[in-house]
C-alpha cells in the first residue's frame, strides 16, 4: 500500500513538472486611450567646431585665424622657435587650459570646448615668456544666427530671401 501512495505522489509531482506552473497573468491595461510614445526632443544644431593654427616663436604667438565663432576650438600648435614653449588659454570664466611643453619643432593639439563670445588671453606659460611679449588675444564672436534659432524668412531679416532691386 505504501508503494502505491509513494508511486501516486511521484506521478503527481511528475505531472506538475511536465505541465509546469500556469503562466503569470498580466493585469489588463487601464481604461482609456493608450499613451502615445513621446517624439524625440527637437535637435538643436551643434555649435561649430573651428581649427586655429597657433605658431609659437621666440616671444610671439600668431593665431590663424584670431577671430572665431562661438563653439569648440581646436588649436593646432607648432613650436617654430628655438626654445621650449607651450600655449595657454584663459578668460570668460573658463578653466585655464594648457598644451604640453613643446621642444623646438614640436606640435600639439588642444581642444577647448564651448567657448562663448568674448576675448580670451592666449600666452606662453613657460618662464617669463608672457612678460617678454609672448601673448595675444583670441576673439570669439556670437554664433551665426542659424546656429541658435531658425530663420523665419520674414522680409528684411538676416537670412531672409529678398528679391533683387530692379528685377
Amino acid at each position: 500500500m505504501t508503494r502505491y501512495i509513494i508511486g501516486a505522489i511521484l506521478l503527481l509531482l511528475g505531472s506538475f513538472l511536465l505541465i509546469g506552473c500556469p503562466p503569470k497573468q498580466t493585469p489588463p491595461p487601464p481604461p482609456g486611450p493608450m499613451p502615445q510614445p513621446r517624439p524625440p526632443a527637437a535637435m538643436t544644431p551643434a555649435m561649430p567646431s573651428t581649427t586655429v593654427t597657433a605658431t609659437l616663436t621666440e616671444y610671439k604667438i600668431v593665431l590663424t585665424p584670431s577671430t572665431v565663432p562661438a563653439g569648440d576650438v581646436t588649436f593646432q600648435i607648432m613650436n617654430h622657435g628655438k626654445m621650449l614653449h607651450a600655449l595657454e588659454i584663459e578668460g570668460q570664466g573658463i578653466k585655464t587650459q594648457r598644451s604640453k611643453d613643446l621642444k623646438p619643432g614640436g606640435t600639439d593639439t588642444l581642444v577647448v570646448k564651448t567657448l562663448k563670445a568674448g576675448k580670451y588671453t592666449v600666452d606662453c606659460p613657460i618662464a617669463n615668456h608672457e612678460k617678454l611679449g609672448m601673448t595675444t588675444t583670441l576673439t570669439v564672436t556670437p554664433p551665426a544666427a542659424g546656429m541658435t534659432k531658425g530663420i523665419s524668412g520674414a522680409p528684411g531679416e538676416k537670412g531672409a530671401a529678398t528679391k533683387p532691386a530692379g528685377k
Side-chain angles (χ1 to χ4, degrees), residues 62-150:
V62 176
L63 300 178
T64 307
S66 60
T67 300
V68 297
D72 297 347
V73 177
T74 300
F75 291 91
Q76 296 293 332
I77 308 158
M78 299 175 288
N79 182 358
H80 286 192
K82 296 178 183 168
M83 303 172 70
L84 186 71
H85 293 299
L87 185 121
E88 180 177 76
I89 180 168
E90 56 193 338
Q92 300 299 317
I94 67 164
K95 179 180 176 186
T96 300
Q97 296 193 39
R98 185 182 195 275
S99 72
K100 65 182 181 182
D101 292 351
L102 301 172
K103 294 179 181 177
T107 62
D108 192 17
T109 300
L110 177 67
V111 178
V112 183
K113 296 285 190 178
T114 322
L115 289 180
K116 61 184 180 182
K119 299 216 182 265
Y120 294 82
T121 300
V122 179
D123 60 59
C124 178
I126 304 290
N128 62 344
H129 293 190
E130 181 182 5
K131 286 184 170 63
L132 292 171
M134 203 165 177
T135 184
T136 191
T137 300
L138 176 71
T139 302
V140 178
T141 60
M147 297 308 297
T148 56
K149 57 185 173 183

Side-chain angles (χ1 to χ4, degrees), residues 37-45:
R38 286 185 163 179
M43 293 182 62
T44 56

Side-chain angles (χ1 to χ4, degrees), residues 36 41 50 67 69 86:
Q36 297 297 317
T50 305
T67 300

